[in-house]
Amino acid sequence: MKNKLVSFALLLGLVVAGVSCKKENPQPAPTADFTITPTTMSLSVNGIGTITASNATGDVTWTIADNTIAEITPNGATCSVKAMKEGTTTVKAANNGKELTCTVTVTATPPTPTELPNVQGTAGKYTLAFQAPSIECAYKNICFFGAFEGNDPANPDAPVAEAIVQEGFTNWYKVVFEAEDGTAMGKICPETVDGARSWNTQAKTFEVVQGDAESVADMGANKISFGASALGDVVFVTVAEWSADPCTAPNPEGTATFNVVILTEFPEGFDPDDIEVSAAFWTPGSVEMSRDLAYQGPGYKFTGVYENYPANQQFKYNISYKGGDWIWEKHDNRTMPYSLTTNDECVEWDSTPWNPIPGGNGTFTITLEGTCYEGHDVIFTGNFAEKAWGASDRVMTPSNGNQFSWTGEYPENFEYKVIIKVDPEDENSWIWIGNGNDNWKFDGTTFEQTGTCPLN
């Protein structure tokens, strides 16, 4: 018995000794927690922000509580957020059973700065200092283009802004330029990530904070018109939004297929075979569409193909009924999508095609305030049969100094504007005169309008 106890004690000691002397295997470090950045976001309407997820296991699912306040575009571990209207909503990121939220607050416009950077004017030149919106990528260049160099953002001679490096000021830039005849107007345009400049990324809205200038509506966006005392001084501007995110490469050239469904309610006795639809382009023309299928409900489907269109192509839809004149479908310009296939719905038009204002023959008189017409042709244009507004050759007849008239036949549902042709050799050197962002819409009785020159 004694020997058994001794043996058991020795065995127990060896086991204990073995355990106490054994080197433990290292344990793996705990996995970092799933997180998103930021968890709060403030944007002005049409502003764009990005939420980034870190330490995800597998796919991240992104959702938004109210897509009328902001819209999201998920892209793996990141999620782009575009502000749509004032309000507050939340974006949720879900991964491996864990959910995180980012609170998004949308305001009408960015706050006006109470202090401005120290910028000095240059004698005999115009100086524009502006605060650009915050973006997720680095600005390649921001140019300022206007009639002084052909009004073309892609013009290599368009003056390029330089960053203002001063403590306490972020995203401020300065551009100095010259303009002929003591008149100056133009738009701010950032290059996209691949260096392209186009109308797509121009400053859509901005606020003149200080200086002799004003924001003038122009073709669905705004432009800056400098006053006489701005020469040699500084104009300060805050940009509220770009027309498109410059962090995104421009839409490529290619071939597009259009799928358009007419959803408007039709009157009794309506014959869908009387509808014609086209996608109207600035250049090189329009695509006539055909009915792809019979009525399927809730609309009538039309299709068309546009081959070999250029990069950054924009378009609108034209609608005609019973062989009448074309009218615009109610919408801003569309930009050709990356998918090269459109799936659009037409639910409302600027004019009702089955109850049109009759066409006729008349004399239209435009009275212009300002001096932009001096030395240039004033051209009358509208939704005539050729559908190319900028190609109009209807030169108006001057009278009484600042009055101009055109006499001729006009179509049903007539809409019109006036073009000031600055340079006959340059197809982009037009000044558009109209009713703010919209066309003048003919009511069948009023043949007189008043327009304000953007150049004073």
Side-chain angles (χ1 to χ4, degrees), residues 328 330 349-351 357 364 383 389 413-417 435 437-446 449:
W328 290 116
K330 187 177 178 64
W349 299 323
D350 281 344
S351 300
I357 294 173
F364 292 80
N383 58 332
W389 286 42
N413 290 314
F414 190 40
E415 298 181 20
Y416 59 100
K417 279 190 176 182
N435 184 23
N437 290 336
D438 297 322
N439 304 325
W440 282 309
K441 294 181 173 61
F442 184 52
D443 60 8
T445 59
T446 303
Q449 297 288 354

Side-chain angles (χ1 to χ4, degrees), residues 252-274:
E253 60 188 10
T255 297
T257 299
F258 297 89
N259 298 302
V260 184
V261 181
I262 308 298
L263 294 176
T264 306
E265 293 184 4
F266 298 108
E268 184 178 355
F270 171 80
D271 185 353
D273 288 334
D274 290 332

Side-chain angles (χ1 to χ4, degrees), residues 117-440:
N118 181 20
V119 178
Q120 303 300 317
T122 301
K125 297 184 178 181
Y126 295 91
T127 301
L128 172 66
F130 59 92
Q131 187 178 36
S134 297
I135 58 175
E136 296 301 318
C137 63
Y139 286 112
K140 294 178 70 70
N141 278 309
I142 306 178
C143 68
F144 187 75
F145 64 97
F148 50 86
E149 45 69 54
N151 205 30
D152 181 2
N155 190 327
D157 296 328
V160 176
E162 62 181 45
I164 298 173
V165 182
Q166 292 182 24
E167 185 176 354
F169 296 95
T170 58
N171 272 7
W172 277 93
Y173 296 83
K174 178 184 74 172
V175 60
V176 180
F177 65 96
E178 296 178 295
E180 297 179 357
D181 304 325
T183 58
M185 53 79 68
K187 297 183 177 183
I188 303 168
C189 179
E191 294 182 357
T192 56
V193 289
D194 65 351
R197 300 179 189 176
S198 75
W199 298 98
N200 291 357
T201 52
Q202 64 181 297
K204 187 173 184 180
T205 58
F206 42 77
E207 178 182 354
V208 177
V209 179
Q210 182 175 298
D212 185 11
E214 61 178 337
S215 176
V216 180
D218 178 71
M219 301 294 288
N222 279 34
K223 59 188 174 185
I224 304 171
S225 176
F226 292 78
S229 65
L231 187 64
D233 201 359
V234 184
V235 170
F236 292 88
V237 169
T238 56
V239 178
E241 58 179 311
W242 304 121
S243 294
D245 181 10
C247 292
T248 302
N251 290 322
E253 60 188 10
T255 297
T257 299
F258 297 89
N259 298 302
V260 184
V261 181
I262 308 298
L263 294 176
T264 306
E265 293 184 4
F266 298 108
E268 184 178 355
F270 171 80
D271 185 353
D273 288 334
D274 290 332
I275 291 183
E276 294 181 4
V277 180
S278 73
F281 302 93
W282 190 262
T283 181
S286 295
V287 172
E288 303 295 335
M289 297 187 188
S290 60
R291 184 171 289 98
D292 180 50
L293 296 169
Y295 175 74
Q296 302 174 65
Y300 299 87
K301 183 178 179 181
F302 291 78
T303 63
V305 177
Y306 182 15
E307 297 181 351
N308 302 322
Y309 65 81
N312 291 310
Q313 179 66 283
Q314 293 185 328
F315 66 98
K316 285 186 178 181
Y317 289 117
N318 276 331
I319 313 289
S320 71
Y321 179 61
K322 287 190 175 180
D325 292 293
W326 296 98
I327 64 171
W328 290 116
E329 180 263 336
K330 187 177 178 64
H331 204 285
D332 291 334
N333 289 341
R334 292 169 166 89
T335 299
M336 204 71 75
Y338 285 113
S339 65
L340 310 185
T341 300
T342 66
N343 290 283
D344 291 322
E345 296 178 346
C346 295
V347 295
E348 184 180 4
W349 299 323
D350 281 344
S351 300
T352 306
W354 44 83
N355 187 26
I357 294 173
N361 188 293
T363 297
F364 292 80
T365 300
I366 311 296
T367 301
L368 298 180
E369 299 176 357
T371 59
C372 61
Y373 56 85
E374 294 181 354
H376 306 302
D377 285 339
V378 178
I379 298 174
F380 190 73
T381 187
N383 58 332
F384 293 96
E386 73 271 11
K387 300 187 287 266
W389 286 42
S392 173
D393 57 1
R394 300 175 183 85
V395 178
M396 304 187 77
T397 303
S399 62
N400 299 326
N402 65 338
Q403 284 189 344
F404 298 84
S405 298
W406 175 83
T407 300
E409 293 185 3
Y410 55 87
E412 295 179 344
N413 290 314
F414 190 40
E415 298 181 20
Y416 59 100
K417 279 190 176 182
V418 169
I419 302 174
I420 310 298
K421 190 67 172 177
V422 178
D423 182 357
E425 304 300 323
D426 185 350
E427 66 177 14
N428 290 312
S429 63
W430 299 319
I431 301 170
W432 290 86
I433 307 294
N435 184 23
N437 290 336
D438 297 322
N439 304 325
W440 282 309

